[in-house]
Amino acid sequence: MQKITTDINLAINSLKIGKLVAIPTETVYGLAGDALNEKAVEQIFILKKRPKNNPLILHISSYEKLQEIVKNIPFKAKKLAKKFWPGPLTLVLEKKNKISDAVSAGKSTIAVRVPNHPLTLKLLNSIDFPVAAPSANPSGFISPTSASHVSNFFKDGLDVILNGGLCSKGLESTIIGFEDDNPILYRHGAIPISDLEDCIGTIGKKIKNDLNPSSPGMFSRHYSPRTPIILINNLSKYIYENKHKKIGVLSFENKEGFTLATKHEILSKSGDINEAAKNFYSALHSLDSKNLDIIITTLLPEKGLGKTINDRLKRAVAN
Ligand code: TXA
Ligand code: MG
């Protein structure tokens, strides 16, 4: 059994001897291990059941540490890092040899960020190795935004869960890569792309399987509850026509009552997109624990963080 604690020294001691710990960040909890320790890296893949070809993401304490692990830093990457770190921005850059191919899944690049959470920043400042930390969920499932989400997923395999409370952003970092020094969006995330473009100008878009957003089948399944989940336009109609089912509703605003629904999670009563983002994974975890027949939901307005939540919803319902 893992210990749930706020004592960073327990987590530091475990990391130093190659054990895995869960760490809080402002986005989601990470499943952390010493990125320079082969055994720890291997354990992360095993515990998460993560395919070996899906690279890990590194966490460092400050921009100054970046040059220890990457070869060169394009001007626009530096500009972004200076403005958004610590924060939910991940940069994909050419790695130095000290970062193993196991971490990068054979790629020449590595994903890296400085997370913005006081406990985790303190932890990273107290160690002299980068920490590999993909989201602390089994591959394909809902990301964890609280310590109890993590402990529900992993009964064994983790030494310590560092309890940093609810994640303040609630969505994973935005990932930017560079091709010939030109910035490319690899994943929508907690920083809207327009904020990044305000800093460095136009960013190319290259999101895996995002060829046809109107066709959810194009998305590989991820961020998914165990309960079946569908995206529909008219929630009320579905509820009315399926009275015999135990239905969970995930909705953005508080527009309708849905009195016939078994469970209703409203992401933000006032329609605030930041509040909705913060509540998104928690609401999914909560609905998934209620033994429902189905979860029904709709897409949000496709702007700002709505794009990120819609990306996660389309993947959650994909086959
Ligand atoms: O907010 C976050 O990014 C959280 C917290 C814990 O930092 N972490 C997270 O990790 O979301 P994960 O592993 O669930 O997602 C990282 C993503 C994966 O989709 C992975 O494929 C991508 O980053 N990635 C990692 N290295 C990459 C690389 N060299 N090139 C392109 N994508 C990469
Ligand atoms: Mg993940």
mmCIF file of all heavy atoms in Angstrom, residues 23 25-31 48 50 53-57 59 88 90 92-93 103-104 107-111 113 115 133-137 143 171-175 186-187 222-223, ligand 1:
data_model
loop_
_atom_site.group_PDB
_atom_site.id
_atom_site.type_symbol
_atom_site.label_atom_id
_atom_site.label_comp_id
_atom_site.label_asym_id
_atom_site.label_seq_id
_atom_site.Cartn_x
_atom_site.Cartn_y
_atom_site.Cartn_z
ATOM 1 N N ILE A 23 3.032 12.537 -7.970
ATOM 2 C CA ILE A 23 3.255 13.942 -7.610
ATOM 3 C C ILE A 23 2.112 14.821 -8.148
ATOM 4 O O ILE A 23 1.606 14.593 -9.245
ATOM 5 C CB ILE A 23 4.609 14.464 -8.158
ATOM 6 C CG1 ILE A 23 4.732 14.240 -9.678
ATOM 7 C CG2 ILE A 23 5.777 13.826 -7.407
ATOM 8 C CD1 ILE A 23 5.906 14.959 -10.325
ATOM 9 N N THR A 25 0.569 18.162 -9.777
ATOM 10 C CA THR A 25 0.966 19.320 -10.589
ATOM 11 C C THR A 25 -0.293 20.164 -10.765
ATOM 12 O O THR A 25 -1.370 19.773 -10.317
ATOM 13 C CB THR A 25 1.541 18.963 -11.985
ATOM 14 O OG1 THR A 25 0.463 18.722 -12.887
ATOM 15 C CG2 THR A 25 2.488 17.775 -11.944
ATOM 16 N N GLU A 26 -0.159 21.303 -11.400
ATOM 17 C CA GLU A 26 -1.336 22.146 -11.617
ATOM 18 C C GLU A 26 -2.261 21.547 -12.680
ATOM 19 O O GLU A 26 -3.423 21.933 -12.779
ATOM 20 C CB GLU A 26 -0.898 23.568 -12.014
ATOM 21 C CG GLU A 26 -0.439 23.747 -13.460
ATOM 22 C CD GLU A 26 0.990 23.255 -13.704
ATOM 23 O OE1 GLU A 26 1.419 22.254 -13.092
ATOM 24 O OE2 GLU A 26 1.660 23.870 -14.549
ATOM 25 N N THR A 27 -1.755 20.580 -13.473
ATOM 26 C CA THR A 27 -2.576 20.011 -14.550
ATOM 27 C C THR A 27 -3.266 18.740 -14.069
ATOM 28 O O THR A 27 -4.478 18.725 -13.837
ATOM 29 C CB THR A 27 -1.721 19.719 -15.792
ATOM 30 O OG1 THR A 27 -0.711 18.762 -15.467
ATOM 31 C CG2 THR A 27 -1.089 20.983 -16.345
ATOM 32 N N VAL A 28 -2.486 17.667 -13.926
ATOM 33 C CA VAL A 28 -2.990 16.389 -13.410
ATOM 34 C C VAL A 28 -1.855 15.788 -12.570
ATOM 35 O O VAL A 28 -0.735 16.285 -12.609
ATOM 36 C CB VAL A 28 -3.381 15.416 -14.561
ATOM 37 C CG1 VAL A 28 -4.452 16.039 -15.470
ATOM 38 C CG2 VAL A 28 -2.175 14.986 -15.393
ATOM 39 N N TYR A 29 -2.157 14.744 -11.805
ATOM 40 C CA TYR A 29 -1.093 14.079 -11.033
ATOM 41 C C TYR A 29 -0.199 13.282 -11.976
ATOM 42 O O TYR A 29 -0.668 12.722 -12.980
ATOM 43 C CB TYR A 29 -1.696 13.153 -9.971
ATOM 44 C CG TYR A 29 -2.063 13.881 -8.685
ATOM 45 C CD1 TYR A 29 -3.118 14.798 -8.669
ATOM 46 C CD2 TYR A 29 -1.354 13.675 -7.507
ATOM 47 C CE1 TYR A 29 -3.442 15.483 -7.509
ATOM 48 C CE2 TYR A 29 -1.676 14.356 -6.332
ATOM 49 C CZ TYR A 29 -2.713 15.267 -6.341
ATOM 50 O OH TYR A 29 -3.027 15.950 -5.189
ATOM 51 N N GLY A 30 1.098 13.232 -11.638
ATOM 52 C CA GLY A 30 2.049 12.487 -12.446
ATOM 53 C C GLY A 30 2.547 11.246 -11.719
ATOM 54 O O GLY A 30 2.616 11.218 -10.486
ATOM 55 N N LEU A 31 2.875 10.215 -12.500
ATOM 56 C CA LEU A 31 3.453 8.977 -11.948
ATOM 57 C C LEU A 31 4.965 9.116 -12.129
ATOM 58 O O LEU A 31 5.491 8.917 -13.218
ATOM 59 C CB LEU A 31 2.909 7.789 -12.734
ATOM 60 C CG LEU A 31 3.328 6.397 -12.319
ATOM 61 C CD1 LEU A 31 2.956 6.131 -10.878
ATOM 62 C CD2 LEU A 31 2.644 5.378 -13.217
ATOM 63 N N LYS A 48 1.832 1.693 -15.573
ATOM 64 C CA LYS A 48 0.812 2.382 -16.357
ATOM 65 C C LYS A 48 0.253 1.515 -17.486
ATOM 66 O O LYS A 48 -0.690 1.901 -18.145
ATOM 67 C CB LYS A 48 1.435 3.635 -17.003
ATOM 68 C CG LYS A 48 1.021 4.940 -16.366
ATOM 69 C CD LYS A 48 1.513 6.117 -17.184
ATOM 70 C CE LYS A 48 0.595 6.497 -18.310
ATOM 71 N NZ LYS A 48 -0.503 7.385 -17.986
ATOM 72 N N ARG A 50 1.767 1.226 -20.201
ATOM 73 C CA ARG A 50 1.944 2.175 -21.298
ATOM 74 C C ARG A 50 2.693 1.499 -22.440
ATOM 75 O O ARG A 50 3.719 0.858 -22.196
ATOM 76 C CB ARG A 50 2.747 3.374 -20.809
ATOM 77 C CG ARG A 50 2.843 4.541 -21.796
ATOM 78 C CD ARG A 50 3.656 5.627 -21.132
ATOM 79 N NE ARG A 50 3.795 6.839 -21.870
ATOM 80 C CZ ARG A 50 3.012 7.906 -21.748
ATOM 81 N NH1 ARG A 50 1.972 7.874 -20.941
ATOM 82 N NH2 ARG A 50 3.253 9.012 -22.416
ATOM 83 N N ASN A 53 6.175 2.361 -27.123
ATOM 84 C CA ASN A 53 6.473 3.379 -28.135
ATOM 85 C C ASN A 53 5.892 4.751 -27.791
ATOM 86 O O ASN A 53 5.918 5.666 -28.602
ATOM 87 C CB ASN A 53 5.980 2.927 -29.514
ATOM 88 C CG ASN A 53 4.467 2.738 -29.540
ATOM 89 O OD1 ASN A 53 3.791 2.933 -28.524
ATOM 90 N ND2 ASN A 53 3.942 2.352 -30.691
ATOM 91 N N ASN A 54 5.349 4.898 -26.575
ATOM 92 C CA ASN A 54 4.801 6.196 -26.168
ATOM 93 C C ASN A 54 5.750 6.847 -25.155
ATOM 94 O O ASN A 54 5.832 6.425 -24.011
ATOM 95 C CB ASN A 54 3.405 6.010 -25.563
ATOM 96 C CG ASN A 54 2.677 7.336 -25.399
ATOM 97 O OD1 ASN A 54 3.224 8.402 -25.687
ATOM 98 N ND2 ASN A 54 1.451 7.278 -24.914
ATOM 99 N N PRO A 55 6.471 7.895 -25.583
ATOM 100 C CA PRO A 55 7.529 8.456 -24.735
ATOM 101 C C PRO A 55 7.008 9.116 -23.457
ATOM 102 O O PRO A 55 5.852 9.528 -23.382
ATOM 103 C CB PRO A 55 8.176 9.506 -25.645
ATOM 104 C CG PRO A 55 7.187 9.791 -26.712
ATOM 105 C CD PRO A 55 6.349 8.570 -26.876
ATOM 106 N N LEU A 56 7.896 9.201 -22.459
ATOM 107 C CA LEU A 56 7.551 9.831 -21.185
ATOM 108 C C LEU A 56 7.823 11.333 -21.261
ATOM 109 O O LEU A 56 8.490 11.813 -22.178
ATOM 110 C CB LEU A 56 8.377 9.213 -20.051
ATOM 111 C CG LEU A 56 8.225 7.705 -19.874
ATOM 112 C CD1 LEU A 56 9.083 7.221 -18.706
ATOM 113 C CD2 LEU A 56 6.765 7.323 -19.663
ATOM 114 N N ILE A 57 7.306 12.055 -20.278
ATOM 115 C CA ILE A 57 7.524 13.498 -20.214
ATOM 116 C C ILE A 57 8.362 13.804 -18.964
ATOM 117 O O ILE A 57 8.142 13.205 -17.921
ATOM 118 C CB ILE A 57 6.163 14.240 -20.240
ATOM 119 C CG1 ILE A 57 6.244 15.657 -19.709
ATOM 120 C CG2 ILE A 57 5.091 13.532 -19.491
ATOM 121 C CD1 ILE A 57 4.912 16.403 -19.846
ATOM 122 N N HIS A 59 10.099 16.346 -15.995
ATOM 123 C CA HIS A 59 9.798 17.518 -15.177
ATOM 124 C C HIS A 59 11.087 18.012 -14.541
ATOM 125 O O HIS A 59 11.824 17.221 -13.948
ATOM 126 C CB HIS A 59 8.753 17.154 -14.118
ATOM 127 C CG HIS A 59 7.439 16.749 -14.706
ATOM 128 N ND1 HIS A 59 7.266 15.552 -15.370
ATOM 129 C CD2 HIS A 59 6.249 17.384 -14.769
ATOM 130 C CE1 HIS A 59 6.011 15.482 -15.797
ATOM 131 N NE2 HIS A 59 5.373 16.584 -15.451
ATOM 132 N N PRO A 88 1.673 25.068 -17.402
ATOM 133 C CA PRO A 88 1.210 23.896 -18.167
ATOM 134 C C PRO A 88 1.593 23.922 -19.648
ATOM 135 O O PRO A 88 0.742 23.767 -20.515
ATOM 136 C CB PRO A 88 -0.296 23.923 -17.967
ATOM 137 C CG PRO A 88 -0.625 25.343 -17.709
ATOM 138 C CD PRO A 88 0.574 25.981 -17.062
ATOM 139 N N THR A 90 4.391 22.155 -22.276
ATOM 140 C CA THR A 90 5.446 21.165 -22.487
ATOM 141 C C THR A 90 6.123 21.441 -23.818
ATOM 142 O O THR A 90 5.445 21.674 -24.825
ATOM 143 C CB THR A 90 4.849 19.740 -22.466
ATOM 144 O OG1 THR A 90 4.381 19.480 -21.142
ATOM 145 C CG2 THR A 90 5.868 18.684 -22.852
ATOM 146 N N VAL A 92 8.796 20.027 -26.735
ATOM 147 C CA VAL A 92 9.466 18.830 -27.261
ATOM 148 C C VAL A 92 10.715 19.298 -28.002
ATOM 149 O O VAL A 92 10.625 20.029 -28.989
ATOM 150 C CB VAL A 92 8.524 18.030 -28.184
ATOM 151 C CG1 VAL A 92 9.267 16.899 -28.878
ATOM 152 C CG2 VAL A 92 7.347 17.470 -27.387
ATOM 153 N N LEU A 93 11.891 18.888 -27.481
ATOM 154 C CA LEU A 93 13.175 19.376 -28.005
ATOM 155 C C LEU A 93 14.146 18.218 -28.185
ATOM 156 O O LEU A 93 13.966 17.142 -27.601
ATOM 157 C CB LEU A 93 13.765 20.393 -27.010
ATOM 158 C CG LEU A 93 12.881 21.627 -26.733
ATOM 159 C CD1 LEU A 93 13.416 22.419 -25.543
ATOM 160 C CD2 LEU A 93 12.782 22.515 -27.965
ATOM 161 N N VAL A 103 13.314 6.376 -22.176
ATOM 162 C CA VAL A 103 12.462 7.509 -21.792
ATOM 163 C C VAL A 103 11.781 8.110 -23.021
ATOM 164 O O VAL A 103 10.589 8.402 -23.017
ATOM 165 C CB VAL A 103 13.294 8.607 -21.069
ATOM 166 C CG1 VAL A 103 12.449 9.851 -20.822
ATOM 167 C CG2 VAL A 103 13.861 8.079 -19.761
ATOM 168 N N SER A 104 12.563 8.282 -24.089
ATOM 169 C CA SER A 104 12.021 8.963 -25.277
ATOM 170 C C SER A 104 11.370 7.993 -26.257
ATOM 171 O O SER A 104 10.969 8.395 -27.347
ATOM 172 C CB SER A 104 13.135 9.734 -25.988
ATOM 173 O OG SER A 104 14.034 8.827 -26.594
ATOM 174 N N LYS A 107 12.807 8.013 -29.686
ATOM 175 C CA LYS A 107 12.846 9.275 -30.438
ATOM 176 C C LYS A 107 14.110 10.056 -30.079
ATOM 177 O O LYS A 107 14.699 9.861 -29.019
ATOM 178 C CB LYS A 107 11.634 10.147 -30.058
ATOM 179 C CG LYS A 107 10.318 9.708 -30.666
ATOM 180 C CD LYS A 107 9.219 10.628 -30.120
ATOM 181 C CE LYS A 107 7.869 10.328 -30.692
ATOM 182 N NZ LYS A 107 7.720 10.739 -32.083
ATOM 183 N N SER A 108 14.467 10.990 -30.967
ATOM 184 C CA SER A 108 15.634 11.837 -30.684
ATOM 185 C C SER A 108 15.222 13.046 -29.834
ATOM 186 O O SER A 108 16.061 13.816 -29.391
ATOM 187 C CB SER A 108 16.246 12.320 -31.999
ATOM 188 O OG SER A 108 15.289 13.105 -32.684
ATOM 189 N N THR A 109 13.917 13.188 -29.627
ATOM 190 C CA THR A 109 13.424 14.340 -28.862
ATOM 191 C C THR A 109 12.878 13.917 -27.498
ATOM 192 O O THR A 109 12.606 12.731 -27.269
ATOM 193 C CB THR A 109 12.270 15.022 -29.625
ATOM 194 O OG1 THR A 109 11.295 14.027 -29.950
ATOM 195 C CG2 THR A 109 12.759 15.707 -30.884
ATOM 196 N N ILE A 110 12.723 14.910 -26.647
ATOM 197 C CA ILE A 110 12.173 14.648 -25.320
ATOM 198 C C ILE A 110 11.147 15.737 -24.976
ATOM 199 O O ILE A 110 11.314 16.899 -25.354
ATOM 200 C CB ILE A 110 13.329 14.608 -24.282
ATOM 201 C CG1 ILE A 110 12.882 13.946 -23.007
ATOM 202 C CG2 ILE A 110 13.902 15.989 -24.001
ATOM 203 C CD1 ILE A 110 12.811 12.460 -23.141
ATOM 204 N N ALA A 111 10.074 15.340 -24.279
ATOM 205 C CA ALA A 111 9.070 16.311 -23.824
ATOM 206 C C ALA A 111 9.446 16.757 -22.415
ATOM 207 O O ALA A 111 9.788 15.926 -21.571
ATOM 208 C CB ALA A 111 7.686 15.658 -23.819
ATOM 209 N N ARG A 113 8.798 19.891 -19.083
ATOM 210 C CA ARG A 113 8.172 21.115 -18.575
ATOM 211 C C ARG A 113 8.556 21.366 -17.128
ATOM 212 O O ARG A 113 9.066 20.476 -16.437
ATOM 213 C CB ARG A 113 6.649 21.074 -18.740
ATOM 214 C CG ARG A 113 5.894 20.247 -17.718
ATOM 215 C CD ARG A 113 4.403 20.283 -18.044
ATOM 216 N NE ARG A 113 3.591 19.698 -16.986
ATOM 217 C CZ ARG A 113 2.911 20.417 -16.084
ATOM 218 N NH1 ARG A 113 2.964 21.737 -16.075
ATOM 219 N NH2 ARG A 113 2.180 19.811 -15.172
ATOM 220 N N PRO A 115 6.621 22.196 -13.878
ATOM 221 C CA PRO A 115 5.236 22.250 -13.386
ATOM 222 C C PRO A 115 5.066 23.361 -12.352
ATOM 223 O O PRO A 115 6.025 23.735 -11.675
ATOM 224 C CB PRO A 115 5.042 20.878 -12.754
ATOM 225 C CG PRO A 115 6.407 20.462 -12.330
ATOM 226 C CD PRO A 115 7.364 21.068 -13.314
ATOM 227 N N ALA A 133 7.418 11.775 -15.556
ATOM 228 C CA ALA A 133 6.099 11.644 -14.911
ATOM 229 C C ALA A 133 4.956 11.804 -15.901
ATOM 230 O O ALA A 133 4.444 12.898 -16.112
ATOM 231 C CB ALA A 133 5.948 12.647 -13.775
ATOM 232 N N PRO A 134 4.561 10.680 -16.515
ATOM 233 C CA PRO A 134 3.320 10.724 -17.303
ATOM 234 C C PRO A 134 2.145 10.826 -16.337
ATOM 235 O O PRO A 134 2.329 10.652 -15.128
ATOM 236 C CB PRO A 134 3.322 9.375 -18.016
ATOM 237 C CG PRO A 134 4.094 8.476 -17.120
ATOM 238 C CD PRO A 134 5.134 9.339 -16.444
ATOM 239 N N SER A 135 0.969 11.107 -16.842
ATOM 240 C CA SER A 135 -0.203 11.201 -15.966
ATOM 241 C C SER A 135 -0.367 9.894 -15.177
ATOM 242 O O SER A 135 -0.117 8.803 -15.702
ATOM 243 C CB SER A 135 -1.452 11.506 -16.789
ATOM 244 O OG SER A 135 -1.602 10.574 -17.837
ATOM 245 N N ALA A 136 -0.806 10.026 -13.913
ATOM 246 C CA ALA A 136 -0.838 8.874 -13.005
ATOM 247 C C ALA A 136 -2.139 8.080 -13.121
ATOM 248 O O ALA A 136 -2.883 7.910 -12.152
ATOM 249 C CB ALA A 136 -0.618 9.347 -11.569
ATOM 250 N N ASN A 137 -2.400 7.597 -14.342
ATOM 251 C CA ASN A 137 -3.553 6.743 -14.599
ATOM 252 C C ASN A 137 -3.079 5.576 -15.457
ATOM 253 O O ASN A 137 -2.101 5.723 -16.181
ATOM 254 C CB ASN A 137 -4.635 7.536 -15.358
ATOM 255 C CG ASN A 137 -4.082 8.200 -16.602
ATOM 256 O OD1 ASN A 137 -3.229 9.089 -16.505
ATOM 257 N ND2 ASN A 137 -4.522 7.772 -17.767
ATOM 258 N N SER A 143 -7.639 10.858 -16.556
ATOM 259 C CA SER A 143 -6.497 11.407 -15.828
ATOM 260 C C SER A 143 -6.900 11.772 -14.405
ATOM 261 O O SER A 143 -8.043 12.143 -14.147
ATOM 262 C CB SER A 143 -5.968 12.650 -16.548
ATOM 263 O OG SER A 143 -5.520 12.294 -17.833
ATOM 264 N N LEU A 171 -6.487 20.123 -16.600
ATOM 265 C CA LEU A 171 -6.270 19.543 -17.937
ATOM 266 C C LEU A 171 -4.765 19.460 -18.160
ATOM 267 O O LEU A 171 -4.024 20.312 -17.672
ATOM 268 C CB LEU A 171 -6.870 20.433 -19.025
ATOM 269 C CG LEU A 171 -8.383 20.632 -19.030
ATOM 270 C CD1 LEU A 171 -8.765 21.735 -20.018
ATOM 271 C CD2 LEU A 171 -9.100 19.328 -19.389
ATOM 272 N N GLU A 172 -4.309 18.482 -18.931
ATOM 273 C CA GLU A 172 -2.880 18.317 -19.177
ATOM 274 C C GLU A 172 -2.276 19.535 -19.880
ATOM 275 O O GLU A 172 -2.987 20.337 -20.494
ATOM 276 C CB GLU A 172 -2.616 17.080 -20.060
ATOM 277 C CG GLU A 172 -2.957 15.752 -19.426
ATOM 278 C CD GLU A 172 -4.421 15.389 -19.573
ATOM 279 O OE1 GLU A 172 -5.225 16.222 -20.047
ATOM 280 O OE2 GLU A 172 -4.751 14.244 -19.219
ATOM 281 N N SER A 173 -0.948 19.579 -19.822
ATOM 282 C CA SER A 173 -0.212 20.682 -20.450
ATOM 283 C C SER A 173 -0.416 20.709 -21.963
ATOM 284 O O SER A 173 -0.674 19.680 -22.595
ATOM 285 C CB SER A 173 1.278 20.518 -20.150
ATOM 286 O OG SER A 173 1.735 19.273 -20.629
ATOM 287 N N THR A 174 -0.284 21.899 -22.522
ATOM 288 C CA THR A 174 -0.266 22.064 -23.978
ATOM 289 C C THR A 174 1.134 21.678 -24.458
ATOM 290 O O THR A 174 2.125 22.087 -23.853
ATOM 291 C CB THR A 174 -0.549 23.537 -24.337
ATOM 292 O OG1 THR A 174 -1.784 23.921 -23.712
ATOM 293 C CG2 THR A 174 -0.654 23.737 -25.844
ATOM 294 N N ILE A 175 1.211 20.853 -25.520
ATOM 295 C CA ILE A 175 2.526 20.385 -25.994
ATOM 296 C C ILE A 175 2.888 21.059 -27.319
ATOM 297 O O ILE A 175 2.117 21.015 -28.286
ATOM 298 C CB ILE A 175 2.545 18.855 -26.178
ATOM 299 C CG1 ILE A 175 2.173 18.155 -24.859
ATOM 300 C CG2 ILE A 175 3.924 18.389 -26.661
ATOM 301 C CD1 ILE A 175 2.226 16.642 -24.913
ATOM 302 N N TYR A 186 1.320 19.860 -30.694
ATOM 303 C CA TYR A 186 1.161 18.395 -30.673
ATOM 304 C C TYR A 186 -0.032 17.942 -29.822
ATOM 305 O O TYR A 186 -0.540 16.853 -29.994
ATOM 306 C CB TYR A 186 2.420 17.716 -30.121
ATOM 307 C CG TYR A 186 3.616 17.729 -31.041
ATOM 308 C CD1 TYR A 186 4.889 17.487 -30.537
ATOM 309 C CD2 TYR A 186 3.487 17.962 -32.405
ATOM 310 C CE1 TYR A 186 6.012 17.475 -31.366
ATOM 311 C CE2 TYR A 186 4.589 17.959 -33.235
ATOM 312 C CZ TYR A 186 5.847 17.721 -32.718
ATOM 313 O OH TYR A 186 6.947 17.713 -33.529
ATOM 314 N N ARG A 187 -0.385 18.757 -28.823
ATOM 315 C CA ARG A 187 -1.548 18.400 -27.992
ATOM 316 C C ARG A 187 -2.192 19.674 -27.462
ATOM 317 O O ARG A 187 -1.505 20.535 -26.924
ATOM 318 C CB ARG A 187 -1.119 17.518 -26.804
ATOM 319 C CG ARG A 187 -2.264 17.170 -25.863
ATOM 320 C CD ARG A 187 -1.881 16.202 -24.744
ATOM 321 N NE ARG A 187 -1.071 16.833 -23.711
ATOM 322 C CZ ARG A 187 -0.574 16.200 -22.650
ATOM 323 N NH1 ARG A 187 -0.783 14.894 -22.494
ATOM 324 N NH2 ARG A 187 0.149 16.842 -21.758
ATOM 325 N N HIS A 222 -8.848 7.240 -25.344
ATOM 326 C CA HIS A 222 -7.989 7.736 -24.280
ATOM 327 C C HIS A 222 -8.882 8.513 -23.320
ATOM 328 O O HIS A 222 -9.979 8.890 -23.682
ATOM 329 C CB HIS A 222 -6.956 8.672 -24.906
ATOM 330 C CG HIS A 222 -5.683 8.730 -24.137
ATOM 331 N ND1 HIS A 222 -4.459 8.563 -24.709
ATOM 332 C CD2 HIS A 222 -5.434 8.961 -22.822
ATOM 333 C CE1 HIS A 222 -3.521 8.681 -23.805
ATOM 334 N NE2 HIS A 222 -4.088 8.926 -22.646
ATOM 335 N N TYR A 223 -8.404 8.784 -22.120
ATOM 336 C CA TYR A 223 -9.150 9.610 -21.143
ATOM 337 C C TYR A 223 -10.547 9.035 -20.879
ATOM 338 O O TYR A 223 -11.485 9.771 -20.600
ATOM 339 C CB TYR A 223 -9.299 11.056 -21.651
ATOM 340 C CG TYR A 223 -8.030 11.674 -22.203
ATOM 341 C CD1 TYR A 223 -7.844 11.844 -23.575
ATOM 342 C CD2 TYR A 223 -7.014 12.089 -21.348
ATOM 343 C CE1 TYR A 223 -6.676 12.407 -24.079
ATOM 344 C CE2 TYR A 223 -5.845 12.655 -21.849
ATOM 345 C CZ TYR A 223 -5.691 12.812 -23.210
ATOM 346 O OH TYR A 223 -4.548 13.366 -23.714
HETATM 347 O O1 TXA B 1 0.289 18.084 -17.854
HETATM 348 C C1 TXA B 1 0.964 17.121 -18.213
HETATM 349 O O2 TXA B 1 1.611 17.121 -19.270
HETATM 350 C C2 TXA B 1 0.974 15.902 -17.285
HETATM 351 C C3 TXA B 1 1.653 16.276 -15.970
HETATM 352 C C4 TXA B 1 1.839 15.115 -15.035
HETATM 353 O O3 TXA B 1 2.867 16.922 -16.248
HETATM 354 N N1 TXA B 1 1.622 14.795 -17.921
HETATM 355 C C5 TXA B 1 1.071 14.120 -18.956
HETATM 356 O O4 TXA B 1 1.824 13.037 -19.352
HETATM 357 O O5 TXA B 1 0.016 14.444 -19.458
HETATM 358 P P1 TXA B 1 1.292 11.960 -20.429
HETATM 359 O O6 TXA B 1 2.393 10.985 -20.536
HETATM 360 O O7 TXA B 1 -0.016 11.462 -20.039
HETATM 361 O O8 TXA B 1 1.250 12.792 -21.736
HETATM 362 C C6 TXA B 1 2.456 13.243 -22.331
HETATM 363 C C7 TXA B 1 2.287 13.257 -23.789
HETATM 364 C C8 TXA B 1 2.026 11.903 -24.395
HETATM 365 O O9 TXA B 1 0.922 11.998 -25.267
HETATM 366 C C9 TXA B 1 3.294 11.596 -25.180
HETATM 367 O O10 TXA B 1 3.024 10.856 -26.352
HETATM 368 C C10 TXA B 1 3.784 12.988 -25.516
HETATM 369 O O11 TXA B 1 3.511 13.729 -24.351
HETATM 370 N N2 TXA B 1 5.236 13.006 -25.743
HETATM 371 C C11 TXA B 1 6.220 12.655 -24.897
HETATM 372 N N3 TXA B 1 7.425 12.743 -25.481
HETATM 373 C C12 TXA B 1 7.210 13.168 -26.753
HETATM 374 C C13 TXA B 1 8.051 13.419 -27.871
HETATM 375 N N4 TXA B 1 9.364 13.265 -27.808
HETATM 376 N N5 TXA B 1 7.468 13.835 -29.016
HETATM 377 C C14 TXA B 1 6.125 13.997 -29.093
HETATM 378 N N6 TXA B 1 5.268 13.757 -28.070
HETATM 379 C C15 TXA B 1 5.803 13.338 -26.923
#
